[in-house]
Structure formats: C-alpha cells, structure tokens
Amino acid sequence: MAATPETVHWRGVHHLALVTADMDATVRFWHGVLDARLVTTLAVPAFKHYFFEVGTGNTVAFFEYTDQPLDSFAKPAGVPYAKAAQFDHLALHLPDEDALIRLRDRLKAHGCEVTDVIDHGFLRSIYFSDPNGIALEASWWTIDPTGRPVDYADERLFADPDPVPAVRELREDGRLHHTVATRLVDGIVEDLRREGITLEP
C-alpha cells in the first residue's frame, strides 16, 4: 500500500534494545565513556532495563536478565555470526498515543499480528514482527526523559529499587567513580596488522 496523507509519522529510533551480562559496566561505558546519558531505568524480577540517550527522543537500551547465563561473543561489524545474541528488538519512536493506535490499526489492516497498547509507565508501546522475524516495537514517551536535565531520584523514571553501583554513584555524587576500558575484536587487530598498522596500548 502506498503512503497516504495519513502515513506513519516516525520520529527516529525510540530505543534499540540490546542485552548485557553486566549492567554496571554497561552504564560505565555508555554513560561514562560514550557520553550517552543514562536517562531512565526499570526493573522487574526477571530483568533490569536501562535507557541511554543518543539524541533527543532516541535511546539505546539494555536488558540484564536475572539468573540467566548468556553465551557471549565478540565480532567485527558486518561479519555474520550465528550466535549474534546481543540484539533483542528495535523500538521505533512515535509522537503520541493517537499515532500508536493508528499504526496498530494499520498493521491489523495489513494482516499483521500486533499486541494491544502496553503501558510501561514512562512509555506506551505495541509489539509486532517483520517478515524476517525481527522483533519490533513502536513506542512514545509518556514522560520523555531525553533532552532535559536528569533527576536520578525521580522514581517514575528510575524505578529499579536495587540499581547497579554506577547508578547509585550518579544518584549520590552526580558522576561515575570510574569507567570501563574495552578492546578491539581480534579480527580487527589482525586486519590492521596486515595493513602494517599497530595500535598503541
């Protein structure tokens, strides 16, 4: 079906949901190293879910699952890997509830399965999949935590009752006590060496 005057009004990526085995290190890297501000957290018994701002209205979010061992791996970008398990789902940003309901109805009209609107407190969402089986979500912020100062004591946005140490540092001191270092994937280092490039430690 071609786009019409009532087309979907996307506002970019609401959040990209990834998986981490160490939320504390994730906060220290994304907030402390990349300067992608931690803007909201939530937690239920099964997982923690933290959001980092990568532009007004746009976030990258991570799940840390409770008591769930993960097979971890590292791979260079653009190289296929059968166990690429960090990706969870892609959430696309919509402006308001009306746009969310219109998209839900549009999906149904095209024969696509979609959930009802789910209220997560600071955001409302619908869930569906693309033809490749990629899990998708469309969301709008009911309380937009991006593009404004962060209040780490605001329990509407920071709902994890037992946050990782990095969040406690931000709440108590307004800064992280330390960050984390990372390493390039071996394949990248090997490619650089073949080109005669060495990395300084």
Side-chain angles (χ1 to χ4, degrees):
M1 180 179 286
T4 67
E6 290 300 314
T7 190
V8 177
H9 300 285
W10 295 117
R11 288 190 171 180
V13 176
H14 187 282
H15 66 276
L16 173 64
L18 304 173
V19 175
T20 179
D22 187 344
M23 188 68 82
D24 189 65
T26 297
V27 173
R28 294 180 191 284
F29 180 74
W30 281 82
H31 182 99
V33 175
L34 297 184
D35 202 27
R37 299 183 314 147
L38 178 70
V39 293
T40 189
T41 67
L42 65 86
V44 297
F47 61 80
K48 295 181 184 295
H49 196 23
Y50 289 10
F51 294 72
F52 301 85
E53 181 181 5
V54 292
T56 301
N58 296 265
T59 60
V60 172
F62 286 86
F63 285 100
E64 182 184 61
Y65 297 111
T66 304
D67 300 323
Q68 174 62 53
L70 298 174
D71 290 334
S72 62
F73 69 95
K75 70 174 210 57
V79 177
Y81 188 65
K83 295 184 178 179
Q86 283 100 330
F87 181 81
D88 189 86
H89 70 273
L90 174 62
L92 302 167
H93 190 202
L94 289 170
D96 53 36
E97 185 84 1
D98 183 59
L100 194 65
I101 291 168
R102 283 199 322 270
L103 176 60
R104 182 199 61 192
D105 294 346
R106 181 184 177 103
L107 286 162
K108 287 181 177 182
H110 284 270
C112 300
E113 292 184 341
V114 58
T115 68
D116 288 330
V117 175
I118 309 296
D119 187 350
H120 296 292
F122 55 79
L123 62 90
R124 291 171 63 87
S125 304
I126 57 173
Y127 296 88
F128 51 102
S129 297
D130 85 336
N132 303 296
I134 295 172
L136 298 173
E137 174 184 356
S139 303
W140 70 278
W141 295 112
T142 60
I143 305 169
D144 190 343
T146 65
R148 63 183 176 102
V150 177
D151 178 3
Y152 294 104
D154 185 344
E155 293 181 359
R156 298 171 307 159
L157 297 173
F158 291 90
D160 184 354
D162 184 28
V164 297
V167 176
R168 289 195 295 272
E169 292 167 16
L170 289 169
R171 182 179 292 157
E172 295 164 10
D173 302 331
R175 64 176 185 82
L176 295 173
H177 297 176
H178 67 276
T179 61
V180 294
T182 62
R183 298 178 54 86
L184 288 171
V185 175
D186 289 342
I188 295 173
V189 177
E190 291 165 11
D191 287 345
L192 292 172
R193 285 188 185 137
R194 280 194 287 276
E195 297 296 321
I197 301 168
T198 56
L199 298 173
E200 296 295 326

